[in-house]
Amino acid sequence: MAKRRIPRFAFDLVDGGAESERNMRRNIEAFEEVEMTPRYMVDVSEIDTRATLFGHTYSQPFGMAPIGMLNAFWPDADLTLARLCKRENIPYVASSAASTTLEGLAEAADGNGWFQLYVSSDKAVTDGLISRAEAAEYDVLMVTADVPAAGKRDRDIRNQLSVPFRFTPEVILQLMANPTWSLTSLKHGKPNIANYADLLKGATSYADVQKTLITPGFTWDDLARLRARWKGRLLVKGILHPADALRCAEIGCDAIVVSNHGGRQVAFGPPTIEALPPIAAAVGDRMKIILDSGIRRGADLMRAKALGADFAFTGRAMAYGVGAGAAKGADRAFEILKLELVRALGQLGEPSFRELVAEFRTSC
């Protein structure tokens, strides 16, 4: 539905992956390969999907992953999803590259907001964002570690996306073919990367944008300094190796996010659900483990829990809902995941998400 309503160049911004998109596909396929053995004659008349993380009990064991420039996918998507997360009591992660300021998203999420940080090559930019996040009263900082170099997204190249944005004949045809998106976008104004708006005014290429958002020199020493600087909960997003997970635990991080950026950056890495078990074995008793990349069904949340994750995030599944039907579509996407999880737990014979363990639920 979203694909029918959104111009191709905008739809591909969210839907696309790196290079051949092999990693993006494998994320989904690997989840489907995880089998779980049901146990019957268990009372599942009441299903508890709650999950507790950092002292907060959420209604569901999943939240909204950070997605940059989401308002280009559907106007006002950032605020729509932040408000949904507050209403439904799940966490919303505001991206550094969001189309809405981190302050605006903190207000919309109203206590359920986390902030995702890209460490810039300019230390002053990073410090400024952290100070703003503190002032906005975010208490969870999610540092993204898995973009030392920007991924090559072939769809964006084919769509001739550029900075500054150009209205090519092909783009104009797509806008004419999708009048609802075009008129709604016109009403809300051209999306930008709101937290960096002043810094990127003079940007003339994607290289300029990447220099602001990404640093190839981010090291473990830098992470240790961030740990000392940030007084709230600190998470590291993009961990795929047990040794890296252990380093995060040693530095004092509160959690890691097993993630490959939804297959948007690296084309050759492992699916997250396959990377999860050895990481859980290495650090599961030392810190919280969160998973994203590949969550498309309620049963995927159950699979992730069985293999060692305490919590999960989904990005595209919720974004598709917004694209399909704005606020009502977002609500529907949330309901689909919630009801599928309830159904899957009942079919498995496990009335409590928090009690789900691997030993009795997975089969080889």
Side-chain angles (χ1 to χ4, degrees):
M1 290 175 68
K3 191 173 184 178
R4 290 197 299 268
R5 285 162 52 89
I6 299 173
R8 188 181 68 244
F9 71 86
F11 182 79
D12 285 351
L13 273 173
V14 169
D15 189 61
E19 299 184 18
S20 69
E21 302 186 343
R22 172 260 181 203
N23 205 196
M24 185 173 71
R25 291 192 303 272
R26 283 292 297 137
N27 279 338
I28 299 169
E29 293 167 356
F31 265 103
E32 293 176 347
E33 291 164 6
V34 176
E35 297 178 354
M36 303 188 70
T37 305
R39 303 294 299 274
Y40 298 121
M41 273 65 76
V42 176
D43 183 359
V44 290
S45 55
E46 293 186 10
I47 301 293
D48 183 1
T49 61
R50 292 175 298 170
T52 301
L53 200 61
F54 309 141
H56 187 127
T57 298
Y58 294 104
S59 67
Q60 306 297 323
F62 68 92
M64 178 64 203
I67 300 181
M69 286 290 289
L70 191 56
N71 285 6
F73 187 74
W74 190 263
D76 220 25
D78 288 339
L79 289 172
T80 296
L81 289 167
R83 290 165 181 150
L84 179 152
C85 289
K86 173 57 181 178
R87 187 178 68 250
E88 299 295 344
N89 187 28
I90 61 174
Y92 174 87
V93 187
S95 170
S96 287
S99 307
T100 307
T101 64
L102 64 90
E103 292 86 357
L105 291 171
E107 182 179 357
D110 189 21
N112 281 43
W114 301 4
F115 181 62
Q116 174 265 341
L117 175 71
Y118 281 118
V119 178
S120 173
S121 55
D122 185 336
K123 185 175 182 296
V125 172
T126 300
D127 287 343
L129 286 173
I130 292 174
S131 294
R132 287 173 61 188
E134 289 173 329
E137 299 185 349
Y138 287 97
D139 57 9
V140 179
L141 182 69
M142 182 186 289
V143 180
T144 292
D146 63 353
V147 195
K152 176 175 176 278
R153 294 204 277 271
D154 290 353
R155 289 204 220 180
D156 291 349
I157 294 171
R158 288 194 295 269
N159 289 328
Q160 300 181 50
L161 291 185
S162 63
V163 175
F165 183 77
R166 292 182 301 163
F167 286 92
T168 65
E170 175 61 26
V171 166
I172 292 171
L173 287 173
Q174 291 180 36
L175 294 175
M176 293 172 63
N178 295 273
T180 301
W181 183 94
S182 301
L183 291 172
T184 308
S185 296
L186 185 64
K187 175 183 175 182
H188 287 274
K190 186 175 75 172
N192 61 7
I193 303 177
N195 293 315
Y196 302 89
D198 291 339
L199 291 169
L200 295 175
K201 278 182 179 177
T204 59
S205 68
Y206 273 122
D208 291 343
V209 175
Q210 291 163 4
K211 184 178 179 182
T212 301
L213 294 177
I214 299 167
T215 175
F218 182 56
T219 67
W220 291 106
D221 289 340
D222 296 316
L223 179 62
R225 283 190 286 272
L226 279 175
R227 174 65 286 181
R229 167 78 170 78
W230 180 258
K231 303 309 178 186
R233 303 287 187 175
L234 184 69
L235 287 64
V236 181
K237 179 177 183 287
I239 299 300
L240 292 169
H241 195 286
D244 289 346
L246 283 168
R247 289 287 295 273
C248 291
E250 290 163 0
I251 286 172
C253 299
D254 296 284
I256 56 170
V257 184
V258 179
S259 169
N260 58 27
H261 223 96
R264 291 171 60 79
Q265 299 295 341
V266 176
F268 49 79
T272 53
I273 195 66
E274 290 184 0
L276 175 61
I279 289 174
V283 299
D285 59 345
R286 299 181 62 177
M287 65 197 314
K288 293 295 184 180
I289 299 174
I290 300 169
L291 181 140
D292 79 10
S293 305
I295 301 285
R296 294 293 188 279
R297 292 283 188 178
D300 293 339
L301 300 163
M302 192 172 67
R303 291 169 167 127
K305 178 68 167 69
L307 295 183
D310 299 291
F311 205 81
F313 280 94
T314 183
R316 287 186 178 96
M318 296 294 289
Y320 294 142
V322 177
K328 289 183 179 179
D331 292 346
R332 180 61 181 144
F334 172 80
E335 286 294 317
I336 289 171
L337 286 170
K338 180 179 76 171
L339 294 176
E340 284 187 349
L341 176 59
V342 169
R343 181 182 294 109
L345 287 169
Q347 290 174 331
L348 185 67
E350 176 54 78
S352 172
F353 180 86
R354 286 182 284 197
E355 299 300 319
L356 178 60
V357 292
E359 299 93 278
F360 306 107
R361 303 303 186 199
T362 59
S363 62
C364 299

